Amino acid sequence: MNDPDLKALTGLCAKCGTCRTVCTLYPERKAEIAVARGKIALIEAAMGGEDGDAEAVQEALTDCLLCGRCERACPNQVLVEEIVMKGRADLAEEVGIPAWKRVLFGKVMTSPAATGIARKAAAAAQRLLPGKIPTASGLNYRFPDGLGGEGRTVPKLPAAGFLESLGNAEAATGEVMLFVGCVFDHVFPEVGRAAYETVKASGKSVAVFRDAACCGLPAMVSGDRRSAAECAEANVRRLRDADPGAIVFPCGSCLLMFKRNVFSLMPKGSPGYDDAVFVAERAVDYASFLLSSGVLDRIPDPPPGQEVGEIGYHDPCHLSGTLGKGPEARKVLSRTVGPAFAEMAGADLCCGYGGTFNVRDYPTSSRIGENKVTVAARGGTKVISTACSGCVLQMRDMAARTDPGLRVVHVAELVHQALFRK
Amino acid sequence: MHTEALSALGDLFGDRLRTSLETRICYSFGATRKTFLPDAVVYPVNAEEVRRTVLLANLHRFPVVPRGAGSGFSGGSLPVRGGVVLSTERMDRIVSIDTENLYAIVEPGVVNGTLKEEARKKGLFYPPDPASLKFSTLGGNIAECAGGMCAVKYGVTRDYVLALEAVLGTGELIRTGVATVKGVVGYDLTRMLVGSEGTLGIVTRATLRLIPLPEAATTLLALFDGNRRSVEAVNAIVAARVTPSAMELMDRTAIDCVQALMPVPLPEGTGSALLLEVDGPEGQVVREADLLTEVCRAHGALEVRRASDAGGRDELWKLRRSISPSLLRVAPVKLNEDIVVPRSRLADMFAFLSDLSARKNVRIVNFGHAGDGNIHVNIMISGEDADETRRADEAVGEVFRKTVEMGGTISGEHGVGISKAPFLEMEVGPLGVAVMKRLKECFDPNGILNPGKIFLEESAVRE
């Protein structure tokens, strides 16, 4: 491990301990190795030639949700997410990337066709799952224990993805581009559809980005920078070719990738840099687009009958935290559902998903997530709305496990309902 | 460490004994930028496990270094002689808050801010407020006798410790003090343990005094053209018989530092700033804030800003709070001292520091708790220039000598640890050192607890 960038980044950490107060994982682990300054100390030791066990260091770096709370609290503004991702990548070169991730990131996620095939296979396999749990947000299957976590439930996969449901000529070109993202295309196509139709309600012509490779974030956080860069390069090139005026992201994590992380993979001077800048300048979160496009003016006053304060908003770490787009979603909700929206208890608590973290340590991920939805429900929230695919996946699972009456939706679904209700 | 000792610890702690290099690295640092690797880390969950660890240490002769959040500035939690780091972070329960007798019983790993918050919910107040209050633990606060901003009105950690339960260096579990305000039976062993930096005993439970939560608070930011006037204002405030709950002074060096990185709008010619806070019953707070404003104006304040709501107060605190983070951007290494001089000598000390900075050609940034004479003197260096480092070290020596000459102390709240060990005798004299060593002998005859701290010699476990 000897990355000059990494050295400069870690050098700013004064080991003061502020990160301990905000770390999502620290209350679970109660050990220094879980928090940012511990991880930074490990990277510094490795760079200093300390002859440690690369696998153990990788294990420590992987034990992180990348929620970014430490980074935002840090008095020295140490870029913890970048450090952890870079560290994982450096170590991946030494210890390799687990085989399942290699296939997924390198082969499946870089290809739009392959992700569709993978979903179909998974949807077929799901019919074999034993337990069904009807929840307020749709049907969930109980996942067999021993295969990825005790008590896990998974949403019923649809027969067709959102993109497949579009006609060939439909939403092919337009001044606004919608970047749906893998999850809102394949797992929750109703979210993709709601986002599409509500963005279209702006009166602008809307194209749906069809050649999308995965945004690349899952590969990047796993230290597979090559696959991540392949995804990112392909995406920004194709997006620039389409030349949209704005690119709307219903998913905060995808947005983070194009607003910020892409520049770690394609820094100034690299071949696709201009394309990445083009995309970053036009990339916008779903709520901000709605606020600027006049869609909200077309929403009739909220219908009576909704309970005051029953709808809450969950802050996705990347969207509200790193990108600072928390107020926008709240404005959209206030306009959409009126007094039914109220600030939710524990709104900014991380849902515990952390992308691949959820796969690697489901028990911890689900403890954090169950706490998240329980705090919200106890505070009187009946519908949790949010704007990130990972958060929707996680909180629907957590609701199915603890309180199937608790609904988890994307903000776009609420806007869609308000705009098009009969 | 012997494998026998490690296997005995393994029997005691199971998977709460960690010996992997990765975990040891994570307990090799505090907030001092120095690192020392321990041989092992243990996470006890009760006093019995702490006691048995120290008994094993006496049997196998290894050092035991207690550690809370590892946020100290003097190296108190660094395992300078290796051995076992005993982390208190899993002993983090608030056992009870007694609203009739006004005290809390806590385990050592409870974070200062957590107790503050829980006390607040019951209308009570735990005043000590080190800058690290959001993450530093009460065990660490007690071991270092942490101070803070409100010391000028409310005192420091020692003023709130009523009683302690602690494991001595012998492995004996002692209970000192009583939960009542009064109590004079025998020597004051509680105060002996407070500020002993983990060298006499490991606190396993503490009874801490709480007071009623003040009803209201107001913050003022007074801006002056230089230290001379702001220090005069401080003395005039004291003479006016008002005791603010904070009197923070930032001199030109600190203001420049903040302005370069995260500017706060200030009037032309600002060379010194005083941040004042008053708290108490509503009416009194208003009266006192008016009086402070008047006094500051009379002493040439260029401007006095004032806020009573949380948001406005927060805005005024921004200048003060931005200093520390901005320092690291000035230079990568700071020699962070926390001297105290009698309040009446503050202006002389600032003048001395300004002259010293010029003479030694090193950048010195000063700010601190003017109300109690405590100044944070930060000598900023690159750490890569040997001559600069030598000049900085000489400057530290001069600052300490001047401080003692003025009748002050070389550490108000950080402790001796390793960073001030060479200067201990300068302040307390040879007899002071000798008596302290005799006391150490009595609490910890085998030198098990936190060896290498406070004293320069006798810093290893006895074979």
Side-chain angles (χ1 to χ4, degrees), chain A residues 39 47 56 113 127 151 157 230 246 283 307 330 358 365 369 421:
Chain A
K39 291 172 167 46
M47 286 189 300
R127 284 180 224 130
L157 287 171
E230 275 173 30
E307 222 173 283
R330 288 170 169 80
N358 172 275
S365 173
R421 72 165 179 265

Side-chain angles (χ1 to χ4, degrees), chain A residues 11-18 20-21 26 29-33 37-38 41-42 45 50 52-53 56 75-77, chain B residues 18 21-23 25-27 29-31 33 37 43 67-71 89-90 92 134-135 262 324-325 328-329:
Chain A
L12 281 172
C13 172
K15 312 286 186 300
C16 68
T18 304
R20 289 165 62 103
T21 63
Y26 181 70
R29 304 283 190 251
K30 285 190 188 165
E32 199 72 69
I33 200 162
R37 71 173 179 174
L42 286 179
E50 191 73 64
D53 175 353
N76 284 344
Q77 293 148 30
Chain B
R18 302 281 167 83
L21 178 62
E22 290 68 38
T23 288
I25 287 170
C26 290
Y27 289 83
F29 57 78
R33 298 220 154 203
L37 262 189
Y43 300 91
R67 182 183 195 269
S71 56
E89 60 203 316
R90 297 188 189 182
D92 62 349
K134 279 190 182 157
F135 41 93
M262 34 197 125
S324 272
L328 244 153
R329 305 257 168 177

Side-chain angles (χ1 to χ4, degrees), chain A residues 289-412:
Chain A
F289 177 81
L290 284 207
L291 289 174
S292 68
S293 66
V295 172
L296 296 172
D297 300 334
R298 305 188 39 208
I299 294 182
D301 283 335
Q306 265 172 317
E307 222 173 283
V308 171
E310 72 171 10
I311 299 174
Y313 181 69
H314 159 76
D315 286 301
C317 295
H318 294 145
L319 186 61
S320 288
T322 316
L323 298 171
K325 293 292 178 190
E328 285 77 359
R330 288 170 169 80
K331 270 185 213 152
V332 168
L333 284 166
S334 290
R335 185 64 199 89
T336 306
V337 298
F341 167 71
E343 199 51 38
M344 182 172 88
D348 69 341
L349 291 176
C350 173
C351 72
Y353 187 67
T356 52
F357 181 89
N358 172 275
V359 180
R360 118 176 227 290
D361 185 356
Y362 186 70
T364 303
S365 173
S366 57
R367 269 198 306 277
I368 296 169
E370 284 189 4
N371 179 59
K372 164 88 213 182
V373 298
T374 309
V375 167
R378 238 188 263 137
T381 299
K382 292 178 178 160
V383 180
I384 301 179
S385 67
T386 190
C388 178
S389 53
C391 305
V392 175
L393 271 172
Q394 169 83 342
M395 291 191 298
R396 282 200 184 172
D397 180 18
M398 295 306 128
R401 291 167 55 112
T402 60
D403 178 2
L406 185 66
R407 254 179 94 204
V408 178
V409 298
H410 190 284
V411 172

Side-chain angles (χ1 to χ4, degrees), chain A residues 171-256:
Chain A
T173 56
E175 50 193 315
V176 175
M177 179 70 87
L178 184 69
F179 190 101
V180 181
C182 305
V183 173
F184 295 148
D185 177 12
H186 295 294
V187 185
F188 304 120
E190 66 279 14
V191 174
R193 164 78 46 196
Y196 169 59
E197 288 179 1
T198 51
V199 168
K200 212 167 63 169
S202 65
K204 296 196 166 83
S205 59
V206 180
V208 175
F209 188 48
R210 292 171 199 245
D211 309 325
C214 166
C215 70
L217 192 63
M220 185 169 181
V221 300
S222 302
D224 185 355
R225 287 173 78 87
R226 204 171 65 189
S227 299
E230 275 173 30
C231 290
E233 279 163 19
N235 278 322
V236 294
R237 193 178 59 241
R238 293 171 191 160
L239 280 167
R240 176 147 204 188
D241 288 345
D243 196 24
I247 309 165
V248 181
F249 289 82
C251 170
S253 289
C254 296
L255 180 64
L256 178 79

Side-chain angles (χ1 to χ4, degrees), chain B residues 69-142:
Chain B
S71 56
F73 278 138
S74 59
S77 65
L78 297 178
V80 296
R81 303 279 181 269
V84 170
V85 165
L86 182 147
S87 170
T88 61
E89 60 203 316
R90 297 188 189 182
M91 294 175 73
D92 62 349
R93 283 182 314 136
I94 296 177
V95 180
S96 62
I97 294 182
D98 186 327
T99 53
E100 280 186 6
N101 298 300
L102 302 191
Y103 63 76
I105 297 179
V106 300
E107 291 185 332
V110 173
V111 168
N112 175 310
T114 309
L115 175 62
K116 266 197 176 56
E117 184 52 30
E118 291 305 311
R120 200 188 56 79
K121 287 181 192 165
K122 297 184 189 295
L124 297 174
F125 183 32
Y126 176 71
D129 59 346
S132 58
L133 70 91
K134 279 190 182 157
F135 41 93
S136 64
T137 64
L138 292 165
N141 288 177
I142 292 167

